[in-house]
Amino acid sequence: MTITLPLTGNLAERLQSEAAAQHISVEELALNILYDALDMEETFPTPEEVVAKIKATPPNPAMIRPATGSLIEALKARQTDPDFDLEAWEQQWELFEAEMKTITSANDIAEGHL
């Protein structure tokens, strides 16, 4: 199969330079890059494989810190932020939600959902 690709910017020059440095044709270099890229995709594990590997990994005792107190007591004893203004935060949140609603509506219109 033969394909033709437009090369933008300095990509053609970079390919020629690299091909010359490797003493191969530009076509060979492009094929090598494609083969390498396709081979790389095959070596990436799926999310399920990653999760299975994590589940199969035994815990590292050096990474486990035993509790030094009660979580409930620590949460009860924590200090509140004196600079936190709930009313101002709620106003900002309302503005944020209104903006998100506007953006979502504009996206729906642009995508033909309305």
Side-chain angles (χ1 to χ4, degrees):
M1 173 168 90
T2 302
I3 60 173
T4 303
L5 299 171
L7 301 179
T8 59
N10 67 346
L11 187 55
E13 293 170 8
R14 290 178 61 196
L15 278 173
Q16 288 173 337
S17 238
E18 186 61 29
Q22 294 183 26
H23 305 293
I24 59 175
S25 71
V26 173
E27 292 81 5
E28 285 177 290
L29 176 62
L31 279 173
N32 290 344
I33 291 170
L34 286 171
Y35 280 127
D36 290 347
L38 292 173
D39 286 344
M40 283 178 53
E41 285 183 26
E42 293 174 12
T43 61
F44 288 123
T46 66
E48 291 80 12
E49 291 169 333
V50 171
V51 169
K53 184 175 180 180
I54 291 169
K55 286 181 177 180
T57 304
N60 179 351
M63 299 302 291
I64 298 173
R65 252 188 324 177
T68 58
S70 166
L71 175 61
I72 192 72
E73 293 301 322
L75 291 173
K76 285 180 182 178
R78 71 181 176 160
Q79 299 293 319
T80 58
D81 183 357
D83 297 327
F84 181 73
D85 182 351
L86 179 61
E87 188 176 320
W89 183 88
E90 287 175 340
Q91 288 174 354
Q92 290 174 347
W93 185 252
E94 285 179 27
L95 291 172
F96 170 77
E97 284 186 327
E99 183 179 351
M100 287 304 300
K101 202 176 279 188
T102 301
I103 291 169
T104 300
S105 178
N107 287 343
D108 287 343
I109 291 169
E111 294 171 1
H113 296 295
L114 292 179

